[in-house]
Amino acid sequence: MPKLFDMTFVRAIFRMIIAGTVTGVVCYIAVLIMPFRYHDDSFFSAFPKFVIISLVSFGAYAAVSKWLKLPEIDPILARLEKVLFGRLEFKG
């Protein structure tokens, strides 16, 4: 365990903190743009806002993670690509 907290580990933690901070700021801005109001008391009025804010936040995290070369986003994007485009076959 003496080499557990080496420079590679510290850099990875720092990159994760940066990605999380950027995601938090983007989520905060998204909530400011589309705030939940007192009249959003039904599922059909609140859920679309929640989905859009979640997708924007996930997109920001995915983009920053790819930019910072964090490997934790690769399996998620691979699965997402398989779900969205798995049945498409291109012949050419």
Side-chain angles (χ1 to χ4, degrees), residues 4-22:
L4 180 63
F5 298 107
D6 59 351
M7 206 54 186
T8 304
F9 179 78
V10 172
R11 280 191 210 116
I13 293 295
F14 185 66
R15 290 184 299 177
M16 286 182 225
I17 290 171
I18 291 172
T21 303
V22 170

Side-chain angles (χ1 to χ4, degrees), residues 29-90:
I29 291 170
V31 171
L32 286 179
I33 292 171
M34 288 186 296
F36 290 101
R37 305 277 185 197
Y38 66 92
H39 59 272
D40 292 333
D41 57 355
S42 72
F43 175 80
F44 295 108
S45 64
F47 188 69
K49 289 181 181 183
F50 172 74
V51 169
I52 291 170
I53 291 169
S54 298
L55 289 175
V56 167
S57 298
F58 174 74
Y61 183 75
V64 173
S65 293
K66 284 304 258 184
W67 180 61
L68 293 173
K69 296 179 177 77
L70 289 173
E72 65 206 22
I73 196 70
D74 293 334
I76 297 168
L77 293 179
R79 175 64 79 175
L80 189 62
E81 183 179 346
K82 186 177 179 182
V83 167
L84 293 178
F85 306 112
R87 297 189 179 259
L88 296 177
E89 294 182 22
F90 297 104

